[in-house]
Structures are given as C-alpha cells and as structure tokens.
Amino acid sequence: MLLVGFLICRRTTRNRSKHQPGTPAVRVAALAAVGCTAYSADTSWRFAADYLDMSGTTERIAMFAAAELALFATALLARQNLHGPKQAPGLPGTLTWVITAVQVIPAYAESGVVGGTVRAFVGPIMAALLWHQAMGIELRIRTPEGASHSVLARVGREARERLLSRLGIAARDRDASQITRDRATRKAVALASHLAE
C-alpha cells in the first residue's frame, strides 16, 4: 500500500505541478490515505473473524482486502474518468462513497457507538476523502466553476435552492441588509394593500 501511495503521489504531483503549487500536501495526503486505508483494513480483518466466521488466515486476507482494493480501484477509475472526455468522476466516484458507507458497518459492529465512530471516521471515511484529494478527483478543486451533473447532485442543488428561497436568502450577491430591506418592502406592500382594501 505504501508503494502504491507513493506511485500515485508521484504521478499526481508530476501531472498537477503546473496547476497546484502544494505538492508536499499531495504527498502527505497520499501517505495519510495509506494509513487510513490500513486502519480500515484492520477493522475489516477483525470483522471477518468475529462476524463472518472466517478463521483461516488466507481466507481472511483475501476477503478483508476486497473492500479496501475496491475502494482504491473505484477511486482510480474516478480519476481516470475525470481526465477523460466527460471530465467528471461518474459512476466510480459514486461507488467510492457507497463502498465507504458499507465499510462503516463493520466499524460499528466491532467497537460499538463511540469506538465505531472513531473507527469509521479515521478508517474508511478519511481514506476515501484523502484518496479523493490526493488523486485530484474532487471536481471543485480541479475546476472551481465546475459542477457535477449527476441526478443526486442536481436534486441536492434544487433542494438547497428551494430551502434558501423559502428562508428568503436565495438571491446571490446580496448582503443581509439588502435582504432585510427587501423583506421589509414586501411586508410594507402587503400591509398597504391590506389597508387599501
């Protein structure tokens, strides 16, 4: 895993050195991602013995590594898609987060609520986030004006805009005083209309 992390960090650094000056940060993120993946692998190793009745070492190695390798593979595929014609992580990017969510289950099964939260956060969640950052998969970092066009992203944006509109803060490029004045104007118009009736 250390070798793979080093190779990805080196390749990412070479490809992105023109765009982002913080190459030591990429190296540290890749190293941290390897550590968090190992942390997640430890949880999977224990879960395989305690809950899946896998007593043989070979069987446990083959099975516990599957989720870790799948997470890493989907992150690599998402990176490949991001550099492809569509310039978006696509299905592999979504699968990265699905695998991460499933890996949270063994963390809670092994260590309960408090320990499971620590295992889940430091293990699969941080591994996915750090691999995402180290490999440059995050669309907003690569193209700050870019936006995902997946169904989930569009539904999320629409829900957010409707909520902000309902709260009266949906208009962009306006400060709080302008929003307050507009609300007061609307109330005054409504009150004048009511008094005129």
Side-chain angles (χ1 to χ4, degrees), residues 39 107-108 111-121:
Y39 199 94
Y108 281 104
S111 301
V113 176
V114 176
T117 302
V118 172
R119 274 189 181 271
F121 184 76

Side-chain angles (χ1 to χ4, degrees), residues 20-179:
Q20 285 190 341
T23 56
V26 173
R27 289 187 192 117
V28 172
L31 183 63
V34 169
C36 290
T37 301
Y39 199 94
S40 178
D42 177 66
T43 302
S44 298
W45 176 267
R46 293 169 189 252
F47 183 79
D50 297 340
Y51 288 89
L52 302 178
D53 297 325
M54 294 182 187
S55 56
T57 305
T58 306
E59 181 184 25
R60 283 170 73 185
I61 289 172
M63 299 310 283
F64 91 89
E68 275 40 80
L69 287 174
L71 176 66
F72 190 68
T74 55
L76 281 174
L77 289 169
R79 182 175 189 270
Q80 181 179 330
N81 283 355
L82 189 63
H83 294 291
K86 290 188 178 179
Q87 305 227 332
L91 181 62
T94 304
L95 285 175
T96 300
W97 296 111
V98 170
I99 292 168
T100 300
V102 170
Q103 284 183 305
V104 166
I105 296 168
Y108 281 104
E110 279 297 314
S111 301
V113 176
V114 176
T117 302
V118 172
R119 274 189 181 271
F121 184 76
V122 176
I125 294 172
M126 286 302 297
L129 287 171
L130 288 167
W131 283 126
H132 224 63
Q133 298 295 324
M135 287 193 259
I137 298 171
E138 186 59 45
L139 183 62
R140 286 181 215 95
I141 290 175
R142 191 165 186 272
T143 52
E145 69 282 352
S148 176
H149 298 293
S150 69
V151 173
L152 189 60
R154 284 185 285 171
V155 168
R157 281 194 296 270
E158 182 69 24
R160 183 186 69 226
E161 288 183 15
R162 286 178 185 251
L163 175 65
L164 292 175
S165 176
R166 180 62 111 174
L167 294 173
I169 55 175
R172 294 192 174 113
D173 300 328
R174 296 189 325 163
D175 59 16
S177 62
Q178 289 171 324
I179 293 170

